[in-house]
Amino acid sequence: PGSGDTRIPMGALIRRAQDLGVITPETAQAVQGITVMRNLAARGRVSEVSEERARDYLALVGAVLFALG
């Protein structure tokens, strides 16, 4: 990241969106869950990624899409 980097941590974005009333607390929690699972998949060992975790991730994504729709 360079000096012009404007990235904001996902947790801060989620809290801000909830504080502004853009998303509900339930949606914020679901998005946070997706973020945690994504980070585990991206940074975890291959042995930590299972079919069950993938299905859990898809269920969370579906819940967020439903909540936003």
Side-chain angles (χ1 to χ4, degrees), residues 6 29 31 33 53 63:
T6 58
Q29 184 176 9
V31 173
R53 281 194 178 178

Side-chain angles (χ1 to χ4, degrees), residues 2-4 19 36 39 48 56 58:
S3 61
D19 290 347
V36 168
N39 289 342
E48 294 174 337
D56 289 345
L58 290 174

Side-chain angles (χ1 to χ4, degrees), residues 5-64:
D5 190 3
T6 58
R7 288 184 283 180
I8 300 171
M10 182 58 76
L13 288 174
I14 295 167
R15 282 188 301 279
R16 182 76 171 141
Q18 184 179 342
D19 290 347
L20 292 172
V22 175
I23 60 174
T24 65
E26 294 80 14
T27 300
Q29 184 176 9
V31 173
Q32 187 64 41
I34 288 171
T35 302
V36 168
M37 291 186 79
R38 181 260 171 216
N39 289 342
L40 286 172
R43 298 187 182 112
R45 295 181 296 243
V46 173
S47 63
E48 294 174 337
V49 179
S50 67
E51 183 177 338
E52 182 180 359
R53 281 194 178 178
R55 289 183 191 278
D56 289 345
Y57 181 80
L58 290 174
L60 278 173
V61 169
V64 170

